[in-house]
Each structure stands twice: as structure tokens, then as C-alpha cells.
Amino acid sequence: MSAFNVALDGPSGSGKSSVADTIAEKYGMEHLDTGAMYRALAWKLDQMKITPESGDALVEALKTIHLDIDHDSVAVNGQDVTRAIREPNVSKLASLYSALPEVREKLVALQQKIASKKGYILDGRDICDVVLPDAEVKIYLDAAPEARAKRRHAQNLEKGIPSDFDEVLQAIIERDRRDTTREVNPLKISKDAEFLDSSNLTFDQTVEAVEQLIRKALSKESA
Ligand code: DC
């Protein structure tokens, strides 16, 4: 197991999760997809009919929800939700509930506990500054909204999901707006992070660029 952690932030659709998976495999690390945790919690709260405005009921509900996550599955109170949380309506729910301080507090604590064992790559929005401020490697992976929409649209068609490019682009722009303007831990580029724009890179080129940044950060660490 690697004795370092990698923090990988960026907007939705920047390819963070697939890149993190590949890097984890190459370096013998564990990948923790923190977005999947927000999705799972949002899915469960919605099932429980707890709205983001529920106040005390939301606080009580959160105490009853237990998440189990590993590199290829997520379960909520023992129920496997790995596929359910990828539905487009859950993307919107996750974006809404992730703006709530109570939700963030619960998940940040869980993420910190998991990563304390080291050897983790966490991808998300607030990893560099909030979840793992002491991570040995910090990267912000960006891509222009159009490039991200193009990838998401192609993925949808590949999976046989009906897709309209303009709708996909609008949904990405709207999610960026919510994720960057929320009051608690908004998505922003950490001043400690290495910035990487993957708009014009293939997946393999992006992985290679991330590997270079890891090597650079680790050589600085050991210098
Ligand atoms: O990465 P994703 O699209 O699966 O994330 C789902 C939502 O969760 C997204 O709207 C932003 C939010 N999120 C967050 O606020 N903080 C994180 N560390 C990860 C995701």
C-alpha cells in the first residue's frame, strides 16, 4: 500500500473518477469516489422524503443512514445502490443535498477516517482544501464545459441512453453553477493544487499528465 494520499478535485464530467480508478490500479492505491457518497446519501434522503429544507428531521435522518463504499460498489443501510445513484435525477439530487452543511459534515468526517490509513486517491470537489489538506499530492482536473458535455453525450449514446447534446451541456453548466456558488465548501481551485486542463487531451494523455504531477509532487516531498 502506498504511503501517500492523492487529492483530485474538479468539476463534474472532467473525467476525475475514471482517471482516479486507473491511477489507483497503477500505484496499488484505493480509489474513493466521494461524489458517489454524496449521490448515495441524496438518494436515500429522497427515498425517505426528507427534503433539503427539512431541518431537524434531516439531522435525525442522517443519524440513521450508514454508507458502505469500496472501489466498485456503494451500499446504503445494506442496500446496494451502485447503479441507482448513476441515474440523471440523482445527479441533480446530489448537487442539491451536497450544499447542506449537515450532509457535508457527515461525509467529510467519513472520508477523512477512510483516508487516514493512507494509500488513497480521493476525487471530489473539496478534497484539496477541506478533506485532505495534508495530502502529499493535490491536483485540480479541469475541462471546458463543451468538452465535458461532448464526452458525457458520447457515453450516453454508447450506453443506449437517449441524449441531446444541448441538454447535456445545459445540465453541466447548471451543476457547475450550483457546485461553485454554494456557501459551504464550494468547488474552487485550491492554491496548493497543480492545475491540469484535459479539454484537448485523450484519456491516456490525461492519465500520463496526472502521473507526471504525482512524480513531481512526490519528488518535492522527499527533497
Ligand atoms: O462527482 P459527482 O458528479 O458524482 O458528484 C455528485 C455531486 O456531489 C456533485 O453535484 C457535487 C457533489 N460533491 C461535492 O459537493 N463534494 C465532493 N467532494 C464530491 C461531490
Side-chain angles (χ1 to χ4, degrees):
M1 184 63 81
S2 321
F4 60 93
N5 282 330
V6 178
L8 182 61
D9 284 327
S12 69
S14 60
K16 297 182 308 285
S17 195
S18 313
V19 168
D21 255 346
T22 305
I23 293 287
E25 206 164 301
K26 287 194 171 189
Y27 285 80
M29 304 178 81
E30 291 288 335
H31 169 209
L32 184 64
D33 176 352
T34 64
M37 299 169 81
Y38 285 93
R39 285 169 180 270
L41 206 51
W43 178 89
K44 183 65 180 174
L45 288 166
D46 184 57
Q47 292 269 313
M48 294 169 78
K49 309 247 180 308
I50 302 287
T51 67
E53 295 80 30
S54 297
D56 288 349
L58 177 104
V59 174
E60 288 309 310
L62 285 174
K63 291 182 192 158
T64 69
I65 303 176
H66 178 78
L67 293 187
D68 279 305
I69 181 159
D70 65 25
H71 64 280
D72 56 8
S73 69
V74 194
V76 186
N77 294 355
Q79 182 179 358
D80 190 319
V81 293
T82 313
R83 286 177 73 88
I85 62 167
R86 297 298 159 193
E87 295 293 328
N89 71 312
V90 182
S91 302
K92 185 162 181 204
L93 289 174
S95 179
L96 293 172
Y97 286 100
S98 66
L100 305 174
E102 300 85 352
V103 166
R104 304 204 69 82
E105 204 178 302
K106 178 178 172 95
L107 292 187
V108 168
L110 185 55
Q111 290 154 11
Q112 289 175 331
K113 184 168 171 223
I114 295 172
S116 66
K117 285 173 260 165
K118 293 271 182 181
Y120 278 82
I121 175 162
L122 269 66
D123 80 285
R125 307 292 195 286
D126 57 344
I127 310 299
C128 294
D129 284 339
V130 179
V131 181
L132 299 180
D134 296 329
E136 288 76 3
V137 186
K138 295 184 179 183
I139 297 169
Y140 186 95
L141 182 60
D142 207 358
E146 291 72 17
R148 290 185 275 138
K150 223 164 115 182
R151 289 178 199 157
R152 182 58 47 91
H153 179 58
Q155 273 169 8
N156 286 346
L157 296 180
E158 220 178 270
K159 291 185 199 155
I161 301 171
S163 191
D164 176 272
F165 176 80
D166 289 331
E167 278 178 20
V168 173
L169 178 60
Q170 282 317 309
I172 284 185
I173 291 172
E174 178 56 23
R175 207 132 74 88
D176 280 359
R177 192 193 59 73
R178 272 200 304 269
D179 292 346
T180 53
T181 57
R182 67 168 178 242
E183 277 182 29
V184 193
N185 307 353
L187 169 68
K188 65 173 174 32
I189 306 171
S190 162
K191 62 175 178 27
D192 300 341
E194 295 280 357
F195 181 84
L196 178 61
D197 184 343
S198 72
S199 302
N200 298 312
L201 301 181
T202 63
F203 180 74
D204 289 348
Q205 288 169 333
T206 307
V207 170
E208 174 56 32
V210 168
E211 283 188 81
Q212 276 180 22
L213 293 177
I214 292 177
R215 284 195 291 269
K216 183 173 145 192
L218 292 181
S219 67
K220 261 195 210 155
E221 271 273 312
S222 61

